Amino acid sequence: MMHFADSLTFSGRKVVAAFAALPFPALAGSSLPDILSAHQQDVPWKLLSSWREQKVSCCFAQSVVLRGICKEKPTSCPGRPLQSCESPEQVLQQYLHTHFPGAFSTAHVLQQPCDTRAPFPQFFSPLLSSRGFLLDKAQASSSAGVESIPVLAALQSSPVLHSLLSGLCRDLQARNPRRCSSFFTAGVEQDDFQEALEELKTLSQCYETGFGADGSEDEADSD
């Protein structure tokens, strides 16, 4: 995982954020272009960190894996780029390019869904079928429960990490480690602690875009 994260970081960045859609919101029998076309305003996956929810409007690099979506033929609609793609990977890649222009993106689509049979916890909505697809209305309870689900997972080097890392730095600075006797008896020196805080602050600054609230990034930095 460390080497994989390294492949998505550059320009002094060392951290990636994890995102997921569990389950991936899809109607049974829908094609991938039709599913993604329903999420043109915002991507249907969320940040997994406990940090406050933020809309991710850009990123520097990402790797996205989608599994469990059947390769149904797309609805014919001339002039829509997603419907003109020849493979599911191209569909997902085009979608990523549309939402994150200039970012380095890799996309993989696997047909095998995620198995959610026992002992996987059954915390799913009654609006899911046994295969994890969305239903128009809640189904009656079934002893089998949800047996599998389509899932999307992503790792992103994203400006959202600036807020997360700078917030962590502020939380650490607000605490007085001298009050924790075990902190320094474990071998941590005060100077080392302060140096680590400075490195964390510098790392958070690597995720600033410097282009204001729109979060756009210099394309040369994303190549």
Side-chain angles (χ1 to χ4, degrees):
M1 183 60 73
M2 180 180 66
H3 294 300
F4 183 52
D6 285 344
S7 69
L8 298 174
T9 54
F10 42 82
S11 300
R13 304 176 187 113
K14 300 179 181 179
V15 181
V16 292
F19 295 77
L22 190 156
F24 184 71
L27 294 170
S30 297
S31 69
L32 183 55
D34 292 338
I35 296 169
L36 293 177
S37 294
H39 297 279
Q40 293 292 348
Q41 299 301 318
D42 197 9
V43 295
W45 53 88
K46 303 295 183 182
L47 180 66
L48 293 183
S49 169
S50 59
W51 190 251
R52 63 181 181 270
E53 183 67 22
Q54 293 190 29
K55 181 179 179 180
V56 179
S57 58
C58 74
C59 74
F60 311 118
Q62 63 186 333
S63 179
V64 180
V65 177
L66 173 62
R67 56 185 297 182
I69 298 297
C70 298
K71 298 181 178 181
E72 300 286 345
K73 292 183 178 181
T75 302
S76 177
C77 188
R80 297 177 64 180
L82 292 182
Q83 275 73 8
S84 63
C85 296
E86 296 181 357
S87 69
E89 285 79 11
Q90 289 181 0
V91 172
L92 184 54
Q93 188 76 43
Q94 177 63 38
Y95 181 78
L96 296 174
H97 175 72
T98 300
H99 279 271
F100 306 100
F104 169 75
S105 301
T106 63
H108 302 278
V109 179
L110 309 176
Q111 201 161 1
Q112 184 68 28
C114 178
D115 190 351
T116 55
R117 291 173 293 184
F120 198 96
Q122 290 295 313
F123 49 61
F124 301 107
S125 165
L127 290 174
L128 288 183
S129 70
S130 62
R131 297 299 179 186
F133 291 101
L134 297 175
L135 300 170
D136 292 331
K137 59 181 181 179
Q139 63 178 354
S141 59
S142 170
S143 58
V146 179
E147 299 180 353
S148 64
I149 55 171
V151 175
L152 183 143
L155 290 179
Q156 281 189 354
S157 176
S158 166
V160 71
L161 286 161
H162 169 65
S163 298
L164 192 151
L165 293 173
S166 59
L168 175 60
C169 187
R170 288 193 299 271
D171 288 345
L172 290 172
Q173 288 176 325
R175 288 166 172 76
N176 184 0
R178 295 185 181 277
R179 295 182 178 179
C180 303
S181 58
S182 61
F183 190 80
F184 291 110
T185 57
V188 180
E189 299 291 339
Q190 177 69 31
D191 290 343
D192 294 336
F193 178 73
Q194 292 300 326
E195 182 180 353
L197 284 180
E198 288 301 317
E199 291 178 352
L200 182 61
K201 182 179 179 180
T202 300
L203 179 60
S204 71
Q205 292 171 347
C206 293
Y207 292 89
E208 288 184 294
T209 60
F211 283 85
D214 61 355
S216 59
E217 170 71 1
D218 187 352
E219 291 186 4
D221 189 39
S222 301
D223 290 339

